[in-house]
Amino acid sequence: MIEKGLTMRPRRETFAADYITETLSAAEFGLRFLEAEEAEWVISVLTEYFAATRNSDSPQIREAHRVFISLETAAPTSRARGPQPASTPNHPGDIEVLSRIANGRRSVRWFSDEPVDRRAVDRAVGIALESPTACNRSPYRFEIFDEPSDVRRVADLAMGTRGYSHQIKGLVVVVGLLNAFFDERDRHLIYIDSSLAAMSFVLGLESQGVASCIINWPDIPERELKMRRLLQLSAAEKVVMLIAYGHPLEGSLAPYSGKQSVTEARQFRNLEGAK
Ligand SMILES: Cc1cc2nc3c(=O)[nH]c(=O)nc-3n(C[C@H](O)[C@H](O)[C@H](O)COP(=O)(O)O)c2cc1C
């Protein structure tokens, strides 16, 4: 939030006054155990914040600044932290590649015996992790299985793998982390954020010749409990979906999946006449 304030145009002299005290206490606590890189980010954002608000007459900001100075944190070693120049999309021609990958992707459920290189999976995970997440909290983990008996045990817990679970080559359990958020009102964010990442993951696999199929994780308490036990999940961890992947089996079939046309799915609107 503070960093967002730092990127505002025009930047205000007073901002974040109502939560800077709380932020600083969290930072003070966190700096005791954060990795060096993250600690440096915290310090540099706060350094920049107090520089930006130096003329503010907010008592909260002044007091927080005094506490910040007393922390005697090391000065950040680089300016690679804190607000960055906004990126400018500049990918001429890439829409053709992206369209080809998106149009060519279909859910594949039958896989060849060719093993999937874990490096390809990791590249796809890397792409998934670039997805936007609410407040950049990345509230999910990918638990990945590629040992045949493990894949089958996990896949059989979901209902939607009946008849083909035995030959899935790799399986991702996308686990949402509810403890990434403070408020109940944000419970849905694990679903949104992990779904955004899942799609990027799928396209990342697809672009390396690895096919996949999203698998529903049903909201059934007894299955939830079994999965929780099998994967040793904590109470704050919630399965969002599974993703089966592998090299497509030559000659196998996939159901036809018609898509909405662009003109069906979207309307450019204006609010003329709205009350
Ligand atoms: C949230 C979600 C849950 C899904 N669950 C299953 C499932 O349990 N089993 C399955 O075989 N396919 C499942 N699918 C795949 C869909 O059937 C498939 O995406 C849809 O029919 C469209 O086909 P396409 O992916 O080939 O475009 C699921 C897809 C999504 C997005």
Side-chain angles (χ1 to χ4, degrees):
M1 295 293 278
I2 287 192
E3 230 181 321
K4 238 186 262 174
L6 284 168
T7 64
M8 282 295 168
R9 292 164 62 86
R11 200 187 257 183
R12 288 182 297 149
E13 233 162 50
T14 297
F15 64 96
D18 51 342
Y19 56 85
I20 186 60
T21 310
E22 198 184 333
T23 304
L24 204 66
S25 321
E28 193 176 356
F29 179 69
L31 285 171
R32 287 185 223 146
F33 54 82
L34 284 179
E35 301 270 330
E37 194 184 339
E38 209 170 349
E40 181 151 316
W41 167 71
V42 169
I43 293 164
S44 64
V45 169
L46 287 171
T47 304
E48 202 149 329
Y49 171 76
F50 288 116
T53 56
R54 65 189 167 279
N55 295 325
S56 168
D57 51 13
S58 154
Q60 290 98 324
I61 295 178
R62 281 165 187 255
E63 173 57 17
H65 192 196
R66 194 191 59 70
V67 174
F68 181 58
I69 291 168
S70 74
L71 292 182
E72 293 180 354
T73 53
T77 55
S78 75
R79 278 196 49 84
R81 312 271 144 230
Q84 309 280 303
S87 65
T88 311
N90 180 20
H91 314 288
D94 288 0
I95 185 66
E96 303 306 334
V97 178
L98 193 53
S99 297
R100 218 170 34 244
I101 298 170
N103 297 339
R105 184 213 62 83
R106 286 297 170 260
S107 291
V108 167
R109 299 170 180 85
W110 295 95
F111 303 103
S112 77
D113 285 336
E114 184 186 344
V116 177
D117 191 331
R118 285 186 174 182
R119 285 171 300 186
V121 177
D122 272 353
R123 283 205 78 177
V125 172
I127 290 168
L129 297 179
E130 293 296 330
S131 308
T133 78
C135 290
N136 203 24
R137 286 174 193 260
S138 306
Y140 52 77
R141 271 203 335 265
F142 284 13
E143 304 274 331
I144 305 178
F145 298 89
D146 56 8
E147 191 62 44
S149 61
D150 292 350
V151 170
R152 178 135 199 210
R153 273 181 87 183
V154 178
D156 280 342
L157 286 181
M159 299 169 91
T161 55
R162 205 167 297 143
Y164 68 89
S165 65
H166 58 284
Q167 49 80 65
I168 294 172
K169 293 298 162 314
L171 189 67
V172 181
V173 181
V174 180
V175 178
L177 309 175
L178 285 163
N179 57 3
F181 302 99
F182 303 111
D183 292 312
E184 275 182 22
R185 65 170 186 218
D186 290 330
R187 274 185 299 214
H188 59 298
L189 292 174
I190 58 166
Y191 300 103
I192 296 177
D193 291 0
S194 58
S195 297
L196 289 168
M199 192 62 228
S200 290
F201 175 71
V202 163
L203 293 179
L205 288 178
E206 192 78 21
S207 63
Q208 300 176 87
V210 180
S212 61
C213 182
I214 305 281
I215 293 163
N216 184 35
W217 178 244
D219 194 353
I220 299 176
E222 72 193 37
R223 285 179 190 258
E224 192 76 33
L225 191 64
K226 281 185 183 162
M227 184 70 101
R228 201 165 280 290
R229 284 201 184 125
L230 193 59
L231 269 60
Q232 298 170 0
L233 301 178
S234 73
E237 295 172 320
K238 177 113 186 61
V239 176
V240 175
M241 72 180 90
L242 276 55
I243 307 173
Y245 66 82
H247 292 286
L249 177 68
E250 220 182 295
S252 63
L253 298 174
Y256 169 73
S257 61
K259 302 295 175 190
Q260 296 188 77
S261 69
V262 172
T263 47
E264 269 171 342
R266 72 95 182 91
Q267 280 185 75
F268 291 110
R269 297 184 50 184
N270 65 47
L271 291 176
E272 213 170 279
K275 293 197 180 130

